[in-house]
Amino acid sequence: KMSEVSEAMTKADIKPKSMHRAKTWSDDVENLYRFQQAGYRDEVEYKQVKQVDAVECWPETGFVKKLQRRDNTFYYYNRQRECEDKDVRKVKVYVY
């Protein structure tokens, strides 16, 4: 679930002000991990590139369910956590 702020930001071509690495796992880090696996910075960039209003999420967990890569192949994700502890520090958290 993203905030209204991010929905408003997707209208314009927004660039992040800064970036830091995730230190602990959270629902947000999990979703960022999924976007970055598919080749996007985050939900903002995905919506800009793919021109979509919403991202398919699992209703139980709120995690991203399916993403379309830039080459139009699809990534499908489980409803459970996929980002392992060893991968958490690889996740980039962008600040707008």
Side-chain angles (χ1 to χ4, degrees), residues 17-79:
K17 290 187 184 67
S18 64
M19 183 277 286
H20 62 273
R21 300 268 177 184
K23 291 184 177 55
T24 54
W25 184 89
S26 70
D27 290 0
D28 290 338
V29 169
E30 176 67 38
N31 279 333
L32 285 169
Y33 174 77
R34 294 173 184 215
F35 282 109
Q36 287 166 21
Q37 263 197 325
Y40 300 94
R41 238 183 0 240
D42 50 22
E43 186 172 356
V44 175
E45 187 186 35
Y46 181 77
K47 287 177 173 178
Q48 283 171 6
V49 172
K50 287 297 170 192
Q51 299 292 305
V52 293
D53 294 327
V55 177
E56 253 187 86
C57 294
W58 289 105
E60 308 87 0
T61 57
F63 296 150
V64 174
K65 184 176 187 177
K66 178 179 87 178
L67 291 174
Q68 191 174 9
R69 287 191 348 198
R70 291 170 195 266
D71 62 4
N72 291 332
T73 55
F74 282 94
Y75 273 174
Y76 295 91
Y77 298 99
N78 297 325
R79 43 172 74 75

Side-chain angles (χ1 to χ4, degrees), residues 74-86:
F74 282 94
Y75 273 174
Y76 295 91
Y77 298 99
N78 297 325
R79 43 172 74 75
Q80 288 88 23
R81 171 179 175 175
E82 288 193 14
C83 179
E84 297 177 31
D85 284 335
K86 65 180 173 58

